[in-house]
Amino acid sequence: LDLVKSRLQTTAGRAAHGTNAVAAALEIVSSSPLGPLALYRGCLVQMAGIAPEKTIKLTTNDMVRAFILSHYGALPLGGEVVAGGLAGFCQVLVTNPLEV
């Protein structure tokens, strides 16, 4: 869907298809030798960016949760909030420069 959206955001794409996403998708599929797989062009780049981001977030979350559990013996709601907040902070700290 990102490819269809990108095509419709360009002046040439709007001139050819208006705002009809179905027509744009059909044109992409019919004009490409890849057929329906053409709709997935560029997904590998997106996944390459998402994989490290999620790895950082999930690993940090697990490490903070384990730390809280080892020191307090339980994981209260506040501990989960702290773990999630720190995980999100670490993710943004590392991945934001890559997105800018």
Side-chain angles (χ1 to χ4, degrees), residues 9 12 17 22 57 62 70 76 87 89 91:
Q9 287 176 337
H17 308 293
V22 175
K57 183 186 260 184
D62 287 346
S70 69
F89 175 75
Q91 171 209 337

Side-chain angles (χ1 to χ4, degrees), residues 21-75:
V22 175
L26 290 174
E27 188 270 326
I28 292 168
V29 170
S30 65
S31 68
S32 174
L34 296 174
L37 293 177
L39 294 171
Y40 295 98
R41 276 190 357 207
C43 284
L44 188 59
V45 174
Q46 293 291 336
M47 289 189 304
I50 291 171
E53 176 182 320
K54 296 304 175 193
T55 302
I56 292 167
K57 183 186 260 184
L58 294 173
T59 302
T60 304
N61 190 11
D62 287 346
M63 290 174 63
V64 173
R65 288 171 60 114
F67 176 81
I68 292 171
L69 274 171
S70 69
H71 280 70
Y72 298 104
L75 186 63

Side-chain angles (χ1 to χ4, degrees), residues 4-16 18:
V4 174
K5 178 187 69 130
S6 297
R7 290 274 175 100
L8 293 177
Q9 287 176 337
T10 65
T11 305
R14 279 191 310 277

